[in-house]
Each structure stands twice: as structure tokens, then as C-alpha cells.
Amino acid sequence: MTDPAEAVWPPPSPRRLPGRARRRTDVLREYEKFNAERRRRILPVLWPFFSPDPDQYFRWRVQLDCTCITELMTPGDQTPPSERQWHAPGDGEALPPGQLCCRHDDDGHAPYRKIAAWRDRREIAFPADPVEPPEWVDADVWALIRHDEPHTSAFWKATLDCGHVEDVVAPALEWKPDDGLRLVDTARVKEMTEEWERLCASDPTLQSEREREHTRRMLAAGWPMPRPEQLCYTCPHARRIVAYQRGGWLVPRGLKPQPESQVQPSRVTLERRLHRVEAEAEHLRVQLAERDEG
Ligand SMILES: [Zn+2]
Ligand SMILES: [Zn+2]
């Protein structure tokens, strides 16, 4: 996991990495298929910017700090992948330069990170909640938190101090970051804190260590809304690129990119096609011979 509190990392170095790159023709075929699909939704005048020809791309192999090795492509061969920004999977937000997501079964829980900057806002409309409580809550609590009318909430994208981006629900539809955090009055926070301390003492398993520390910090800060620290769901899977190896152009210089149908078939494909043609020829020879005899 990347940690904003950790020391400055040594710069990633070019080096020979174990294993081999994927076959260039396979990668090219995949890119062309993907790009043809993408171009159906993009005006041709914008293709150079949003869906470039394959001859623009340079291939790299990179090693991450989880030791996994993966392949990346960059427009041009000048800037190494460790100095570029990559996106979280599934059209996710841009990660800090030189990071990639790589999920492992033993990735830790999401940590709390402080909000460093507010970005854009959007509204989401929700239907009324069902009357029946969902599984995760009992009926009394549900009666208190249930929305019996359709409602709209505002969400702000916030950059956390780890450089990752999370959605934060606003305390009110009209709230904006310049309004500042809303605090609960001091006397009420004191009451809440005493009540919460009593609850924790009577049931030490009430909250996980992480949640208990978060609640303590928020009570000490006056129970601010929105919370100035948020869970970062990217941190557990974000890895740094620690080394890279140059892999060559996706379309070797001097070779014109060939459309999909003209890409050179593999030896196995050609052999299979030859066997089929030979079998067909043999079949025709037998038919001819039978006809002559008949
Ligand atoms: Zn990994
Ligand atoms: Zn993070």
C-alpha cells in the first residue's frame, strides 16, 4: 500500500525484468479490436487525441512494488511509464504519477486519509427507501434513518492526502466547500463523547480499532460534517512502479500498420488452413474419379 507518510521513494530505474513480453502481434490485434470499438463512439476528427493509430504506441514492461510484472503502452517512447498518470480500473480516477492498481487477496482495509482538495460536484436522485428494513439494520434504527420520500444528495469529489480521489456526501444539497465544515455545538459534543466512551467501555468490540480511532478524532474535532478524513478504497491496491524495461514500438518503425484482416496469420493457422484445403482437394479428386468411372 502506498503511504503518504513514507519517505521519498528512489526513482524507478530501467532494467531487464524476469520473464518475457507478450507477442507483439497479439497485443496489436487486441489494440486494433479495442480501438475499432472505441472509434464507433468518437468523431474521426478526434481520433488522433482519443483513439490514436497503433503506430503511436510504445510498449513497456513494468515491475510494481508488489513484485508483479505487467505491460503498459505509452504514446511515444520518451516519457517512461513511471512518470505518467494511469487510471484506476474500470474508467476510474487518475492515480498519482507512477502508480497502478494491483489487487491481492491479502490487501489491507481502506485507511482514513485527510481531504486535501475539493473538486467537482454532482447530484444523485434516490427513490424512497422500502418500508421493510434491509438485512444490515434492525427495525428501530431503520425507522429513524429511512427516507420515506424520494430525495437528492450532493456528492463532491475530493482528493485525499494520498493523492487518490473519493466521493464525499455533502451535509446538505446547497453546501459547498467554501462554507466550511459544519460543527456540532460544544456542549452537545461533550455529551456525545461521554455517551460514546461509556458505550465503548461496556462493549469493546463495538467498533474496530480503525473506526474507534476515527470516531475519537471526529468527536475531538467537534463532530464535523462532512468528515475531514475519508476512507480511501484505492490505497490498499495502489502500487508504485519500481522498475521498467523498454519493449519496442507496437508497430515497428518502417512497417505500415496493417488492418486486422491483413495481419500475418501464425504458422499454426496456416498449417491448419493447408490441411483443410488438402482434404478438400482429395475429396474432389475422389468425386472426379467416381464420375469418370460412372
Ligand atoms: Zn501485484
Ligand atoms: Zn489513497
Side-chain angles (χ1 to χ4, degrees):
M1 189 201 302
T2 52
D3 191 327
E6 282 178 74
V8 177
W9 300 96
S13 54
R15 101 166 68 119
R16 165 120 190 78
L17 298 175
R20 298 185 55 172
R22 297 178 59 212
R23 267 171 30 151
R24 187 188 63 80
T25 46
D26 289 348
V27 179
L28 175 60
R29 200 171 300 125
E30 271 174 28
Y31 179 77
E32 289 193 320
K33 190 161 175 260
F34 162 78
N35 210 26
E37 183 65 31
R38 182 166 65 176
R39 285 186 171 186
R40 281 200 239 148
R41 302 187 302 269
I42 300 176
L43 289 173
V45 67
L46 297 174
W47 287 357
F49 307 104
F50 297 109
S51 71
D53 285 332
D55 61 352
Q56 303 297 304
Y57 280 107
F58 191 81
R59 301 176 65 204
W60 308 80
R61 294 176 74 229
V62 299
Q63 185 158 42
L64 308 177
D65 59 4
C66 52
T67 74
C68 292
I69 292 174
T70 188
E71 292 189 22
L72 294 171
M73 295 200 293
T74 58
D77 67 340
Q78 295 301 307
T79 310
S82 52
E83 292 171 27
R84 291 179 175 273
Q85 279 197 291
W86 303 92
H87 283 252
D91 280 343
E93 295 287 338
L95 301 168
Q99 286 188 13
L100 281 185
C101 279
C102 188
R103 282 177 181 270
H104 289 249
D105 288 343
D106 59 352
D107 285 345
H109 293 292
Y112 278 101
R113 303 290 195 210
K114 290 194 175 68
I115 293 174
W118 294 100
R119 297 180 21 175
D120 39 317
R121 173 190 184 276
R122 73 201 157 106
E123 288 185 6
I124 299 182
F126 297 94
D129 288 331
V131 178
E132 281 299 306
E135 265 174 38
W136 50 267
V137 66
D138 63 39
D140 296 343
V141 178
W142 186 239
L144 285 175
I145 62 173
R146 175 177 171 265
H147 289 273
D148 48 9
E149 299 278 338
H151 64 284
T152 300
S153 294
F155 290 82
W156 283 82
K157 285 209 181 295
T159 305
L160 308 180
D161 61 358
C162 52
H164 302 137
V165 177
E166 289 291 337
D167 274 321
V168 178
V169 64
L173 207 54
E174 71 285 356
W175 180 87
K176 46 191 191 312
D178 284 349
D179 298 344
L181 306 175
R182 294 185 178 183
L183 300 178
V184 173
D185 78 63
T186 319
R188 176 76 188 112
V189 172
K190 190 161 175 287
E191 264 173 33
M192 285 165 68
T193 307
E194 284 165 6
E195 181 62 26
W196 178 74
E197 295 286 2
R198 240 194 323 275
L199 206 58
C200 283
S202 69
D203 181 0
T205 61
L206 185 71
Q207 284 181 308
S208 67
E209 175 82 21
R210 177 192 67 179
E211 288 306 317
R212 205 165 44 235
E213 289 308 312
H214 167 71
T215 307
R216 186 166 285 132
R217 286 191 298 271
M218 292 304 100
L219 284 167
W223 205 242
M225 281 298 275
R227 303 277 184 249
E229 57 178 39
Q230 298 284 327
L231 289 172
C232 179
Y233 294 97
T234 307
C235 265
H237 322 293
R239 321 285 176 183
R240 280 180 320 112
I241 295 174
V242 291
Y244 58 83
Q245 179 180 356
R246 295 172 70 84
W249 292 95
L250 180 56
V251 178
R253 303 281 96 165
L255 261 190
K256 276 184 93 66
Q258 295 170 312
E260 167 82 359
S261 57
Q262 288 172 26
V263 171
Q264 193 65 26
S266 70
R267 183 174 179 83
V268 175
T269 309
L270 287 173
E271 281 173 352
R272 211 179 287 141
R273 212 178 285 166
L274 180 63
H275 287 147
R276 236 187 355 248
V277 173
E278 281 175 344
E280 173 72 2
E282 187 55 31
H283 180 67
L284 288 172
R285 263 186 226 109
V286 170
Q287 275 190 321
L288 266 177
E290 283 171 356
R291 191 191 172 94
D292 289 348
E293 279 167 20

